[in-house]
Structures are given as structure tokens and as C-alpha cells.
Amino acid sequence: MMTTTPEHVPVLLNESVDALNIRADGTYIDMTFGRGGHSRAILARLGEQGRLYAFDRDPRAAQAAKALADSPQFHFIHAPFSTLAAAAQREHISGQVDGILFDLGVSSPQLDDAERGFSFMRDGPLDMRMNPEVGPSAADWVNSASIDDMVYVFKHYGEERYARRIARAIEHDRKQTPFVSTAQLAGLIARVSPVKEKHKHPATRVFQAIRIHVNQELEEAETALHAAISVLAPGGRLAVISFHSLEDRLVKRFIKQQSEGAQLPAGLPVMESERLKDCTLKPLSRAIKPSADEVQANPRARSSVLRIAERLT
């Protein structure tokens, strides 16, 4: 029986690729290959001397990347964000990359495939790992974490106000029946949540929190953003698409820190040029959001935000 691959529509495609200011002979990195939407758009602008390196830790993304294997400009790296610095050194491109694109979060194919366990809308194994071959699954964590650890994750990564109530219910129920499926966990959350928000499933925040924790998404992103500074060439572009407030705050704070220099006590007799000498980035835009037409065509684009910065000399 033939199975179909869930479609992935790249978000803010033109805006993000334009942000890289692509030169035909330049070197670029797509940090989230996914199903190749952004990568194909970048490759279309490259000449024979251009190079594109694409990362992804998802084995299915690695499989999809084989469709571009015949392109001499394309190089796929099956690895997470946090390996950026090491990979750039290995490929001898540290300090020589003209643009890096990050597309944070989870992709439509991951959400739409019930077997991956990312979505409470489709029953499947409670997994949520972007690379199912590495590390503990969501079920492993849910069935072993302490109440306090669950409360921290639900609050910190999901901003869930009923975190302790949900954590206690999980701890109680797993003694009788360990959690193995997404429907099982989503059902418990719906049962114990005292307030139901209109147009929002009660499990939304907890599923996001568990996914972020299991995949160490914010830690991976922060490590790679710092690595991008040494990987980019002077004048190189950094473009980052985020999908929820935690990601966007991380990106906004990072660009701000890298563009404003050391924050010194007021009144300290330090020249402005001295304070700014360690700046590494120049912001090139405020938050860019998808057009109404894009949101209508792809509702999942609604929460996306693009931020752009340029590497200083």
C-alpha cells in the first residue's frame, strides 16, 4: 500500500530567502531542511560556484534530501543545530558563510504524521522526538519525571497555568497505566483542565512544552545562534523564522545583545566606541510577519515571525 508524505509549505519563503541577499557564487546554510522548500528556493538563485549546506536531525528529512543529491551545489548534514560550529570547521567554511537561515520549531510533516507523536489531534505513539533514534521519547519522560520537573517544563516551555494540576494527574494515572499514546495524554489533560479556551485544545500548551523539552529545542537554537557569529563572513546575513513567543524572545534577545554591546552601569566613563567594539550583528528589520494572503493559504503560517541581522566586520 502506498503512503503519502505530508505536504510541507515553507513559511515566509520569499521574505526569508530575499533576506539572505543571495549572490550566485555565495555560500549559504539552511539549518532546517525539512522537505526542502527553502533549500530549493536558495539553490534556484545559486550559480555553479555557489554552495548550500542544509542541516536536519530528522531521518525523514535526510531521506527527502536525497532528491537533491545530484546537485553539486548541495550538501546535506544529518545533524542537529548544536553541531553548526563543528560542521563548519569540518567543511572549512567557518567565517566564510554569506547567509544562514533558521526555521525553528516543528514542521507540518512531523505534525501530520501520527506515528511521530507530535500532535494531540491524531492518535499515535507518544514520541515527539525529531530524531526518533536518539534520546528518550515523550512517553519515557512523562512516565518517569517528578511532579516538580513536569511543573517546571509545563510552565517554562508551555506557559501552562494548570501545570501542577496536570502533573499530579499524570503522576496518579501512570501508576495504573503508563502513558503510551498521544490520545491517552491529551484525554487526561482535557479531563483535568478546569477551563476550556475557545478554539484551543486544552493539551496545546503541554504538548508544546514536552516537545520542546524532549528535543532541547531552545538550547539547540541558542547554541547554534552563537555559533553562527563565527560561521558568518563579514556582511553575512542571519535570518530566523520562529513560531511561538519563547522562540521569538530568544532570537530577539540574542540579536539585541549582539548589536548593543556591553551593558555597563549608568555614568561609567566609557567611550561609546569602546562599548560597541564587541558588537557582532546589526539588526536589519523589525519582526516580519506573513501577509494576509499567505495566512489564508497556509493557516499554520499565522504565528510565524522573521527577524534579520547582518554580521558586522
Side-chain angles (χ1 to χ4, degrees):
M1 177 177 164
M2 181 178 288
T3 59
T4 58
T5 301
E7 182 182 4
H8 177 56
V9 180
V11 168
L12 290 163
L13 177 61
N14 293 329
E15 295 87 343
S16 60
V17 175
D18 286 346
L20 297 177
N21 195 29
I22 293 174
R23 299 195 333 264
D25 62 348
T27 299
Y28 299 89
I29 297 177
D30 179 358
M31 291 301 301
T32 316
F33 181 80
R35 293 301 180 268
H38 290 107
S39 283
R40 286 183 172 85
I42 294 169
L43 284 169
R45 302 191 187 189
L46 293 180
E48 291 183 2
Q49 300 305 312
R51 293 291 179 269
L52 173 64
Y53 295 83
F55 284 68
D56 210 301
R57 55 173 149 171
D58 190 327
R60 297 191 185 180
Q63 186 67 29
K66 291 180 179 179
L68 296 176
D70 290 338
S71 170
Q73 293 94 345
F74 181 73
H75 306 268
F76 181 76
I77 299 171
H78 186 198
F81 286 169
S82 57
T83 64
L84 172 59
Q89 288 183 346
R90 186 174 64 249
E91 298 292 337
H92 307 292
I93 57 173
S94 290
Q96 301 176 43
V97 173
D98 299 295
I100 302 177
L101 172 62
F102 285 84
D103 185 359
L104 304 178
V106 67
S107 69
S108 292
Q110 290 167 330
L111 283 171
D112 292 338
D113 185 349
E115 292 300 310
R116 303 301 300 273
F118 284 102
S119 176
F120 47 80
M121 302 299 291
R122 297 169 175 81
D123 190 22
L126 188 60
D127 194 311
M128 298 194 196
R129 288 173 294 177
M130 291 183 176
N131 185 345
E133 300 168 2
V134 176
S137 68
D140 294 331
W141 183 78
V142 165
N143 288 318
S144 62
S146 69
I147 289 178
D148 286 344
D149 283 348
M150 285 190 282
V151 170
Y152 174 81
V153 167
F154 298 163
K155 283 186 174 180
H156 189 62
Y157 296 136
E159 300 175 313
E160 172 56 64
R161 55 178 165 165
Y162 302 117
R164 189 161 294 276
R165 179 192 290 258
I166 294 168
R168 284 174 174 164
I170 290 173
E171 198 269 345
H172 175 271
D173 281 24
R174 73 189 183 191
K175 292 176 182 176
Q176 304 295 323
T177 308
F179 287 86
V180 296
S181 75
T182 55
Q184 186 184 3
L185 179 59
L188 174 140
I189 297 168
R191 188 181 78 239
V192 303
S193 297
V195 176
K196 307 296 188 288
E197 295 180 56
K198 191 175 183 180
H199 306 308
K200 194 166 195 174
H201 192 285
T204 301
R205 293 188 179 92
V206 171
F207 268 61
Q208 172 185 293
I210 296 173
R211 188 201 87 216
I212 290 172
H213 175 68
V214 165
N215 293 291
Q216 297 291 287
E217 291 178 33
L218 298 184
E219 293 85 351
E220 285 280 331
E222 186 155 27
T223 298
L225 285 171
H226 282 280
I229 299 300
S230 62
V231 174
L232 283 168
R237 295 288 183 86
L238 175 68
V240 187
I241 302 171
S242 57
F243 285 85
H244 57 73
S245 59
L246 291 174
E247 292 173 344
D248 187 48
R249 282 201 296 268
L250 185 155
V251 175
K252 183 178 180 180
R253 183 176 66 247
F254 173 76
I255 293 175
K256 180 180 174 68
Q257 289 171 345
Q258 298 298 320
S259 62
E260 292 188 352
Q263 300 304 300
L264 302 173
L268 203 66
V270 175
M271 301 255 323
E272 184 73 357
S273 58
E274 181 69 16
R275 185 179 72 82
L276 296 177
K277 71 176 184 179
D278 294 327
C279 290
T280 61
L281 292 176
K282 176 176 71 174
L284 294 184
S285 74
R286 294 182 178 272
I288 297 171
K289 298 186 178 181
S291 67
D293 288 344
E294 179 174 1
V295 172
Q296 184 174 10
N298 180 18
R300 284 179 175 166
R302 181 179 292 108
S303 62
S304 60
V305 176
L306 170 65
R307 295 188 184 274
I308 310 165
E310 184 174 283
R311 178 71 163 97
L312 295 172
T313 56

